[in-house]
Amino acid sequence: MIKKNKIIQGIVFAIIGIFTLITIAILLAILFHIVINGIQGLKLSFIIDYPEEMGKSGGIFPVIVGTIYITILAVVIAAPIGVLAAIYLTEYAKKGKILSLIRFGTETLAGIPSIIYGLFGFAFFVIALGFRWSILSGALTLSIMILPTIIRTSEEAIKTVPMSFREGSLALGATKWQTIAKVVIPPAMPGILTGVILGVGRAIGETAAVLLTAGSSLNLPTSIFSPTRTMAVHLYILSSEGLSKVNSYATATLLIVIVLLINTCANMIIRRYSKILGR
């Protein structure tokens, strides 16, 4: 019986390994295809020049700036709210129907298609509040989109901190908030940062929600009330309208490079922070 279970377990692990390798191979094939076709158009002039003829030629400097502005603003809005909400749900909220309803709502929001968020942002931020197509409208919409991810990830990270840490701190006379700020949050910070990174990745790659709220202007934004075009939207427009195959692949390649750099730097920070805590 034990031998039979080991055989079944080996077969299951082999199947999982095969599908994992297939998934990785498909991902690498897609990345290879994009990079090979985009590297020829990825030049310094493409990064620092302004677009010409609606993106058919020239560079994408205003698009890069718009992407940075809208992503940073979205994270600045969503990260504090998400972390504080996670702290409340894990440390202050009493177990019951209301807490279950809040968590159910958070999980539901995480699965809503981006176009729904875009329509909501267009109706509420662009029209009702009068922000028009702007960086602010796009960032507010993206912040709502990434908020469930940050809340759930931060909540799970805080839950991993042993209860004995809290009990020891409170026994020494620390207040509830001092215990959370000095004892609970530091060990949970790597997990919280992971949630923020996931939010950044989603914000950078969103198209529909940004197109409906931030617009698609190719001008260099001068304030948060200026319309802008992100790299994902620029890539979508170039590809869907057939404006420039070379520039679309170059934009996709640059977008991949930026995401990889962000993830690499963030992982280095997390590992460094984990080592400091380990000491």
Side-chain angles (χ1 to χ4, degrees):
M1 186 67 180
I2 297 176
K3 186 176 180 181
K4 183 179 179 181
N5 290 337
K6 287 184 177 180
I7 294 174
I8 295 175
Q9 185 179 23
I11 294 173
V12 172
F13 283 158
I15 294 173
I16 294 173
I18 291 172
F19 280 107
T20 301
L21 292 175
I22 292 173
T23 303
I24 294 173
I26 294 173
L27 174 63
L28 293 176
I30 294 173
L31 293 176
F32 181 78
H33 173 76
I34 293 173
V35 172
I36 288 297
N37 288 277
I39 198 70
Q40 56 184 337
L42 193 60
K43 303 175 183 177
L44 181 61
S45 58
F46 180 74
I47 298 175
I48 62 176
D49 287 349
Y50 283 65
E52 300 174 359
E53 300 180 278
M54 300 301 294
K56 290 183 180 180
S57 58
I60 58 169
F61 179 70
V63 178
I64 296 174
V65 173
T67 303
I68 294 173
Y69 281 175
I70 200 169
T71 303
I72 291 177
L73 185 57
V75 173
V76 167
I77 295 172
I81 298 175
V83 174
L84 290 175
I87 292 173
Y88 172 77
L89 291 174
T90 53
E91 302 296 327
Y92 290 98
K94 295 181 180 179
K95 293 183 179 180
K97 293 183 179 180
I98 296 178
L99 182 59
S100 300
L101 183 62
I102 292 174
R103 284 178 174 160
F104 175 77
T106 303
E107 293 173 358
T108 303
L109 287 173
I112 294 178
S114 60
I115 186 65
I116 304 300
Y117 284 104
L119 291 172
F120 169 78
F122 177 75
F124 186 66
F125 298 122
V126 177
I127 297 178
L129 296 184
F131 292 157
R132 298 180 295 179
W133 284 313
S134 63
I135 292 175
L136 181 60
S137 297
L140 289 170
T141 304
L142 287 179
S143 66
I144 297 174
M145 290 183 61
I146 66 178
L147 193 57
T149 301
I150 296 176
I151 291 175
R152 294 300 295 153
T153 309
S154 301
E155 190 178 356
E156 294 302 321
I158 294 172
K159 285 181 179 178
T160 60
V161 180
M163 186 60 65
S164 59
F165 286 21
R166 300 170 175 83
E167 294 172 349
S169 177
L170 294 172
L172 291 173
T175 63
K176 179 76 171 179
W177 178 248
Q178 287 174 335
T179 300
I180 294 172
K182 301 294 184 179
V183 178
V184 177
I185 295 300
M189 188 57 69
I192 293 173
L193 290 176
T194 300
V196 175
I197 295 166
L198 292 173
V200 171
R202 184 174 184 185
I204 291 178
E206 281 301 329
T207 303
V210 180
L211 183 61
L212 290 172
T213 55
S216 60
S217 173
L218 288 173
N219 296 323
L220 185 68
T222 57
S223 71
I224 60 173
F225 295 102
S226 300
T228 191
R229 177 186 293 189
T230 63
M231 295 178 65
V233 173
H234 188 63
L235 171 61
Y236 167 74
I237 292 176
L238 291 180
S239 301
S240 62
E241 297 183 7
L243 296 176
S244 175
K245 183 178 179 180
V246 174
N247 282 1
S248 62
Y249 274 111
T251 303
T253 302
L254 184 59
L255 188 59
I256 291 172
V257 171
I258 290 174
V259 172
L260 288 176
L261 286 175
I262 292 174
N263 288 336
T264 302
C265 294
N267 288 329
M268 290 175 61
I269 294 172
I270 291 173
R271 284 197 296 267
R272 179 67 176 173
Y273 193 84
S274 299
K275 288 181 180 178
I276 292 173
L277 290 176
R279 294 174 186 173

